[in-house]
């Protein structure tokens, strides 16, 4: 789930930045593309393109790490409220997370007093 969201936003954020700046340009056609990239890059089309690519990569990174931190925080809050570790493990297994994130959440459950034998391991 987090990989799909990060890829979609990795395309949508630079496209939105480009679209907003392009709407502010009074030009049409190729000159609109040139002036838009130039304005984004501070005077250079190449720098504008690099800035858009960098914003996409930064969005990917932020989303993938952000979802993991939110899921771990949710898991720890549920632990503190007294939820059963077995129920939390079932919840983790039912979520559409990547295998990497599920493994990380399973380790969090183990560290916080969950059962040591995890199904599927």
């Amino acid at each position: 789930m987090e990989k799909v969201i990060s890829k979609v936003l990795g395309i949508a954020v630079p496209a939105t930045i480009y679209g907003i700046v392009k709407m502010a340009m009074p030009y049409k056609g190729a000159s609109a593309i040139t002036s838009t990239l130039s304005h984004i890059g501070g005077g250079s089309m190449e720098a504008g393109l690099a800035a858009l690519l960098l914003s996409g990569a930064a969005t990917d990174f932020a989303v993938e790490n952000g979802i993991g931190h939110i899921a771990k925080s949710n898991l720890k809050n549920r632990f503190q409220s007294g939820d059963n570790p077995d129920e939390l493990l079932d919840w983790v297994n039912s979520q559409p997370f990547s295998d990497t994130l599920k493994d990380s959440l399973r380790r969090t459950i183990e560290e916080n007093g969950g059962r040591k034998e995890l199904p599927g391991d």
Side-chain angles (χ1 to χ4, degrees), residues 44-92:
S44 165
M45 284 180 52
E46 291 84 4
L49 187 57
L52 291 176
L53 292 173
L54 185 61
S55 70
T59 302
D60 277 351
F61 179 78
V63 169
E64 285 192 29
N65 289 319
I67 289 176
H69 287 296
I70 291 169
K72 284 182 183 181
S73 176
N74 180 26
L75 208 56
K76 288 181 181 181
N77 287 340
R78 290 181 66 179
F79 254 121
Q80 290 174 351
S81 68
D83 284 1
N84 183 355
D86 293 333
E87 292 174 4
L88 294 176
L89 189 59
D90 292 338
W91 175 79
V92 167

Side-chain angles (χ1 to χ4, degrees), residues 2-120:
E2 70 274 8
K3 292 189 185 294
V4 172
I5 292 171
S6 72
K7 296 305 176 197
V8 169
L9 288 178
I11 294 170
V13 168
T16 303
I17 293 169
Y18 177 82
I20 289 171
V21 174
K22 187 176 178 192
M23 286 189 318
M25 296 293 113
Y27 308 111
K28 301 288 182 211
S31 62
I33 295 170
T34 302
S35 62
T36 300
L37 288 174
S38 180
H39 276 74
I40 291 171
S44 165
M45 284 180 52
E46 291 84 4
L49 187 57
L52 291 176
L53 292 173
L54 185 61
S55 70
T59 302
D60 277 351
F61 179 78
V63 169
E64 285 192 29
N65 289 319
I67 289 176
H69 287 296
I70 291 169
K72 284 182 183 181
S73 176
N74 180 26
L75 208 56
K76 288 181 181 181
N77 287 340
R78 290 181 66 179
F79 254 121
Q80 290 174 351
S81 68
D83 284 1
N84 183 355
D86 293 333
E87 292 174 4
L88 294 176
L89 189 59
D90 292 338
W91 175 79
V92 167
N93 289 330
S94 70
Q95 297 303 308
F97 298 138
S98 67
D99 291 337
T100 306
L101 181 55
K102 281 186 181 182
D103 289 341
S104 176
L105 294 174
R106 288 178 187 141
R107 279 193 302 272
T108 301
I109 291 172
E110 284 182 12
E111 291 168 2
N112 288 295
R115 63 183 181 208
K116 297 298 179 190
E117 293 137 18
L118 302 174

